[in-house]
Amino acid sequence: MSDQKTLAETFNRTAYRLSGQGPREVLKTVLEQADGTTESDAYGKGWIIEEFQQEMASYLGKDTAVFFPSGTMAQQIALRIWCDDKNLPQVAYHPLCHLEIHEEDGLKELHGIKPVLLADKSRLITLEDVTNLEEDIACLLLELPQREIGGQLPEFRELEAISVYCREKGIKLHLDGARLYEILPFYQKTAAEVCALFDSVYISFYKTIGGIAGAILAGEAAFTEKSKVWKRRHGGDLISLYPYILTSGYYFKERIGKMDQYYRDAIVLAERFNRCHGIATRPVVPVSNMFHVHFEAPKDKVEPVLISLCEEYGIGITGNLRDFDGGTSYFELSVGDMYRHVPQNGQDAMFEMLDAKLREI
Amino acid sequence: MSDQKTLAETFNRTAYRLSGQGPREVLKTVLEQADGTTESDAYGKGWIIEEFQQEMASYLGKDTAVFFPSGTMAQQIALRIWCDDKNLPQVAYHPLCHLEIHEEDGLKELHGIKPVLLADKSRLITLEDVTNLEEDIACLLLELPQREIGGQLPEFRELEAISVYCREKGIKLHLDGARLYEILPFYQKTAAEVCALFDSVYISFYKTIGGIAGAILAGEAAFTEKSKVWKRRHGGDLISLYPYILTSGYYFKERIGKMDQYYRDAIVLAERFNRCHGIATRPVVPVSNMFHVHFEAPKDKVEPVLISLCEEYGIGITGNLRDFDGGTSYFELSVGDMYRHVPQNGQDAMFEMLDAKLREI
């Protein structure tokens, strides 16, 4: 614990970082440009929230969209609505779905919905997993990319086949698109083309977009109208959400055009990691701006190496290394604006030293 | 509907207002003073949130406190914890309790908790209502002041008696203290002295305090620890809540010392309304900074009068007049900083004209 804190602290002091959008002064930046007389949103009404919702609905190719304070809230609500519609409190998702591992079982405790876990922890959900499903479900949730396994993606034609199958069977298909923007360069599709396969879509604004918090849930009007009622029930219909909306909107415009750059940089960076001794990225070739860096050595051996490199070269590799199966370790890396500021010389020297040090472990 | 919009629009254009803290530029003001390098809170951790929680716990005289994005979320969770503790999903509260009329039945739909309604819509809950209760309940919620009936308050000794009774019977007592600060001048008590009667307390930061949104839930550590788990389940454990926390803290310090002034101003203002034809405030003598102004005439008759006064004197009386029982109408008024800016001459003239116009209806 104290070791990990030291890595995080060392990382937080670096001027250069391989990952992320950097220290955030987002709110201050946005408000410096805002007209002080702008009228606040109020309980989901007002142009600040309504205009942003419309923009996002249009970006996603859906009729309507609703802004939520969090994805946790938005997604539980989406699944609840689909379950209520079918009067069937059962859904299916990946064993490493956010709802399963990060939400203290809100879906079960608040909504009484039982999840069926598809596939296993090490791989993506396939069409076969879906067609072999024996239980009745109201909704299937797919996360693109599947974050906890390094941000992997199915082939687009497999997605299409799953979508067709679900429509035939009357199963609603929900997209956990927290990182939807990041996969568009790989798929070579628009957001709307991906979302057309799904009945409901959630996107996030504080990952690569770099906002403070906030999420959008989109779908047909009958669906989003119900979601507003549930948003109030959850305590998410705040009197004002504008700090999140303004920053989401600002950084969406700022960064939505850079996803291709982040994706290409991720490919280069992963390739560089893979040339080091005892490292393999997952996936080997990234399909978005994110990937996981796996070390053959355990955390307690790797962490001192990362700290010493961080201090020597002033380049942060990660602030959060985790133990993994079989005495190995890994960290998650998401390429953002910060990567392009890292001096090439320093980076090259650092990777050579990383390789050398890992050979000594 | 179009009439009401016109009243709201007219009100929103006024420089002077009898109620409220005025147009809010709160976030910008606060951030202009913030150090741009301040580290954000992250999922309930970090000094910004932890320090504020401690300050509020200490102000309320409770062991611990947790910041929530909304009171809706905080209060449902408080009741859920008390119900789970007793394995009894039943609580009691006033028929005009926020949970009963403003939350789309979240308590019932998300938590499966059944409320028993105490007293009737026209009056406060009394000790007798509580002792006569036939159903078993895990928790009694009291709202001080009782907003929907003009912000009325029981005598403090009656509160004490209810508290003693609940402790004897093993009933948890929860305070809806959205407007707790505002009642302290009347009771001549500290917040901690009032809160000592309760097992759990919720306070709000966007009413008289004038923050953007946000709430604190306070109690013993065993209680607040559970509330953090439920906060995550609700989707309220946002990656960052600092826009709400910074503004809550700033305006708390700015305004907590002014509650006595607001309270006295409310008494003067209510007295002035009561001298007008066909008007009676509720309560007649305010016990906090808020009261309701009731007109004998219906909304469609009173609204044009309020609009014309607003335009003639540049003083906003209200932006939201509502129909009430038996063809009458009313609005809610909360005295804040704005009242002291209203020129006395203009105010006197306006009230004379209000009186005259109401006689003509």
Side-chain angles (χ1 to χ4, degrees):
Chain A
M1 200 63 191
S2 65
D3 274 341
Q4 192 182 336
K5 201 176 169 196
T6 309
L7 178 61
E9 282 169 359
T10 317
F11 180 80
N12 286 337
R13 280 198 301 269
T14 54
Y16 300 116
R17 296 181 192 176
L18 299 183
S19 61
Q21 303 293 15
R24 305 194 257 200
E25 245 190 76
V26 298
L27 193 52
K28 216 168 164 174
T29 309
V30 170
L31 287 173
E32 271 159 17
Q33 305 186 7
D35 176 356
T37 62
T38 298
E39 211 172 310
S40 162
D41 59 310
Y43 298 115
K45 306 276 184 205
W47 75 263
I48 285 185
I49 189 164
E50 288 171 18
E51 190 174 277
F52 186 63
Q53 290 175 165
Q54 270 177 358
E55 278 173 25
M56 289 302 110
S58 147
Y59 173 73
L60 299 170
K62 295 294 181 195
D63 289 348
T64 50
V66 178
F67 191 85
F68 280 81
S70 73
T72 296
M73 195 183 291
Q75 295 207 103
Q76 284 181 28
I77 287 172
L79 299 191
R80 174 64 183 258
I81 293 168
W82 296 137
C83 286
D84 280 0
D85 273 10
K86 257 198 134 168
N87 199 19
L88 171 63
Q90 193 155 268
V91 298
Y93 53 52
H94 194 272
L96 296 176
C97 175
H98 196 275
L99 289 96
E100 190 63 14
I101 63 173
H102 289 308
E103 301 183 7
E104 295 280 3
D105 283 338
L107 188 73
K108 301 163 201 168
E109 298 286 340
L110 286 170
H111 295 284
I113 293 173
K114 191 191 147 206
V116 179
L117 305 182
L118 281 187
D120 66 54
K121 290 185 180 185
S122 69
R123 63 166 179 86
L124 291 169
I125 292 172
T126 63
L127 173 62
E128 209 185 340
D129 293 320
V130 183
T131 56
N132 285 347
L133 191 62
E134 285 170 7
E135 292 94 335
D136 277 344
I137 54 167
C139 178
L140 168 64
L141 178 152
L142 292 182
E143 182 187 349
L144 302 179
Q146 195 75 48
R147 176 192 182 176
E148 301 288 344
I149 53 173
Q152 296 182 50
L153 283 177
E155 292 294 320
F156 197 74
R157 60 172 179 275
E158 179 144 30
L159 269 188
E160 289 175 313
I162 291 175
S163 175
V164 167
Y165 178 82
C166 285
R167 282 192 185 154
E168 278 171 13
K169 296 288 176 183
I171 297 168
K172 295 293 179 183
L173 194 56
H174 172 79
L175 172 58
D176 178 342
R179 291 171 174 76
L180 170 65
Y181 334 99
E182 292 93 317
I183 66 172
L184 304 177
F186 173 76
Y187 278 146
Q188 289 288 302
K189 301 281 179 191
T190 64
E193 283 167 337
V194 176
C195 294
L197 306 179
F198 295 84
D199 299 289
S200 55
V201 176
Y202 141 70
I203 57 173
S204 168
F205 296 100
Y206 66 86
K207 280 127 196 155
T208 301
I209 294 295
I212 302 173
I216 277 282
L217 184 63
E220 290 181 0
F223 168 82
T224 53
E225 281 308 306
K226 286 179 195 162
S227 82
K228 290 180 188 172
V229 175
W230 283 106
K231 178 179 165 186
R232 174 153 289 214
R233 287 175 179 153
H234 263 254
D237 190 20
L238 305 192
I239 179 167
S240 295
L241 283 164
Y242 70 82
Y244 298 135
I245 299 167
L246 289 175
T247 44
S248 295
Y250 180 88
Y251 284 100
F252 183 85
K253 284 183 187 66
E254 188 89 349
R255 294 192 172 126
I256 196 69
K258 293 182 174 178
M259 296 297 153
D260 196 54
Q261 169 197 316
Y262 300 152
Y263 165 55
R264 286 174 210 236
D265 286 349
I267 290 172
V268 172
L269 189 56
E271 197 274 329
R272 189 65 195 84
F273 272 109
N274 284 316
R275 277 192 275 139
C276 294
H277 177 83
I279 288 185
T281 67
R282 189 186 196 197
V284 175
V285 179
V287 289
S288 73
N289 72 326
M290 77 166 289
F291 55 90
H292 285 182
V293 179
H294 283 260
F295 298 90
E296 284 172 10
K299 179 178 155 176
D300 62 347
K301 300 273 189 198
V302 176
E303 202 156 73
V305 173
L306 298 183
I307 291 171
S308 74
L309 291 172
C310 198
E311 286 172 343
E312 190 168 344
Y313 298 93
I315 300 171
I317 299 177
T318 183
N320 188 11
L321 186 71
R322 301 168 211 182
D323 278 319
F324 197 66
D325 300 342
T328 67
S329 59
Y330 85 103
F331 70 88
E332 181 177 292
L333 197 152
S334 293
V335 174
D337 289 343
M338 287 298 278
Y339 179 66
R340 297 240 158 164
H341 299 299
V342 180
Q344 194 61 48
N345 285 349
Q347 198 191 139
D348 290 343
M350 186 204 67
F351 271 109
E352 276 170 37
M353 187 58 79
L354 174 62
D355 180 59
K357 291 210 173 195
L358 289 176
R359 285 176 197 278
E360 288 164 17
I361 286 181
Chain B
M1 201 60 192
S2 65
D3 275 341
Q4 192 181 339
K5 201 175 170 195
T6 309
L7 178 61
E9 282 170 359
T10 317
F11 180 80
N12 286 336
R13 278 198 301 268
T14 54
Y16 300 116
R17 295 179 194 179
L18 299 184
S19 62
Q21 303 293 14
R24 305 193 258 201
E25 243 190 75
V26 299
L27 194 52
K28 215 169 167 175
T29 309
V30 170
L31 287 173
E32 270 157 19
Q33 305 187 7
D35 176 356
T37 63
T38 298
E39 211 171 310
S40 161
D41 58 312
Y43 298 115
K45 306 275 184 207
W47 74 265
I48 285 186
I49 188 164
E50 289 171 17
E51 191 174 277
F52 186 64
Q53 290 176 164
Q54 270 177 358
E55 278 173 25
M56 289 300 110
S58 147
Y59 172 74
L60 299 170
K62 295 293 180 195
D63 289 348
T64 50
V66 178
F67 191 85
F68 280 82
S70 73
T72 296
M73 195 183 291
Q75 295 208 105
Q76 284 181 28
I77 286 173
L79 300 190
R80 174 63 182 258
I81 293 169
W82 296 137
C83 286
D84 280 359
D85 273 11
K86 258 196 132 168
N87 200 19
L88 172 62
Q90 192 153 270
V91 298
Y93 54 52
H94 193 272
L96 296 176
C97 175
H98 196 274
L99 289 97
E100 190 64 17
I101 64 174
H102 289 309
E103 302 183 7
E104 296 279 4
D105 283 339
L107 187 73
K108 301 162 200 168
E109 298 286 341
L110 286 169
H111 295 285
I113 294 174
K114 191 192 146 205
V116 179
L117 305 182
L118 281 186
D120 65 53
K121 290 185 179 185
S122 69
R123 63 167 178 86
L124 292 168
I125 292 172
T126 64
L127 174 62
E128 210 185 338
D129 292 321
V130 183
T131 57
N132 285 347
L133 191 62
E134 284 169 7
E135 291 94 336
D136 277 343
I137 55 167
C139 178
L140 168 63
L141 178 151
L142 292 182
E143 182 187 349
L144 302 178
Q146 195 73 50
R147 176 190 182 177
E148 300 288 344
I149 53 172
Q152 297 182 48
L153 283 177
E155 292 294 320
F156 197 73
R157 62 173 178 274
E158 179 145 28
L159 269 188
E160 288 176 313
I162 291 175
S163 176
V164 166
Y165 178 83
C166 285
R167 281 192 187 156
E168 279 171 13
K169 296 289 177 185
I171 297 168
K172 296 293 180 184
L173 195 56
H174 172 78
L175 172 58
D176 177 342
R179 290 171 175 77
L180 171 65
Y181 334 99
E182 291 93 317
I183 65 172
L184 303 178
F186 173 76
Y187 278 147
Q188 290 287 299
K189 301 282 180 193
T190 64
E193 283 167 338
V194 176
C195 293
L197 306 179
F198 294 85
D199 299 291
S200 55
V201 176
Y202 141 70
I203 56 173
S204 168
F205 296 100
Y206 65 86
K207 277 122 198 164
T208 301
I209 295 294
I212 302 172
I216 277 281
L217 184 63
E220 291 182 359
F223 169 82
T224 52
E225 281 308 306
K226 286 179 197 162
S227 82
K228 290 179 188 172
V229 175
W230 282 108
K231 178 179 162 185
R232 174 151 289 213
R233 288 176 179 153
H234 264 254
D237 191 20
L238 305 192
I239 180 166
S240 294
L241 283 164
Y242 70 81
Y244 298 136
I245 298 168
L246 290 174
T247 44
S248 295
Y250 180 87
Y251 284 99
F252 183 84
K253 285 183 187 65
E254 187 92 347
R255 294 190 172 129
I256 195 70
K258 292 183 175 179
M259 296 297 154
D260 196 54
Q261 170 197 314
Y262 300 152
Y263 165 53
R264 286 174 211 236
D265 286 349
I267 290 173
V268 172
L269 190 55
E271 197 272 329
R272 189 66 196 81
F273 272 109
N274 284 315
R275 277 193 275 139
C276 294
H277 178 83
I279 287 185
T281 68
R282 189 186 195 198
V284 175
V285 180
V287 290
S288 73
N289 72 324
M290 77 166 288
F291 54 90
H292 286 182
V293 178
H294 282 262
F295 298 89
E296 284 172 10
K299 179 177 154 177
D300 61 346
K301 300 274 188 198
V302 176
E303 203 156 72
V305 173
L306 298 183
I307 291 171
S308 74
L309 290 172
C310 197
E311 285 173 342
E312 189 167 347
Y313 298 94
I315 300 172
I317 299 178
T318 183
N320 187 12
L321 186 71
R322 301 169 210 182
D323 278 318
F324 197 64
D325 300 342
T328 67
S329 59
Y330 85 103
F331 69 88
E332 181 177 290
L333 196 153
S334 294
V335 174
D337 289 343
M338 287 299 277
Y339 178 64
R340 295 238 159 165
H341 300 300
V342 180
Q344 193 62 48
N345 285 351
Q347 200 190 139
D348 290 343
M350 186 204 69
F351 270 110
E352 275 169 40
M353 187 59 80
L354 174 61
D355 179 60
K357 292 210 172 193
L358 290 176
R359 284 175 199 279
E360 288 166 18
I361 287 180

